[in-house]
Amino acid sequence: TAYLLAEKMRIELEGFSVDIEGFADEGGQKGQKDAPKGLIEVRYALHFKTSASLDKVDKLAGLVEKHCPIENSFKNQINMVRSGITIE
């Protein structure tokens, strides 16, 4: 997504990466009845390797966030379906 959008914006992007951290309520993992069982927050930092201005990169970051399939999956609460089990 980042590379395609950078190309459309005429930004030469030499590299792109994302650091992601997920935070869960420990009570949910320990089986406490009223505690949430999944992630309660996901934080991320976008890293761009480019000579473009901060203003252009900030606009690119906004578009990446808007069109990112992973971020949109979290926001839209997609269904998760197990497709099988493998034992090796």
Side-chain angles (χ1 to χ4, degrees), residues 1 17 37 47 79 87:
T1 303
S17 64
K37 292 177 180 44
H47 304 275
N79 290 327
I87 299 174

Side-chain angles (χ1 to χ4, degrees), residues 37-57:
K37 292 177 180 44
L39 295 174
I40 55 174
E41 183 173 271
V42 175
R43 295 180 190 165
Y44 59 92
L46 306 176
H47 304 275
F48 297 90
K49 185 173 182 183
T50 183
S51 60
S53 70
L54 177 59
D55 185 53
K56 283 188 106 173
V57 173

Side-chain angles (χ1 to χ4, degrees), residues 51-68:
S51 60
S53 70
L54 177 59
D55 185 53
K56 283 188 106 173
V57 173
D58 188 51
K59 288 177 184 172
L60 174 59
L63 289 172
V64 168
E65 292 167 340
K66 180 178 179 182
H67 296 285
C68 175

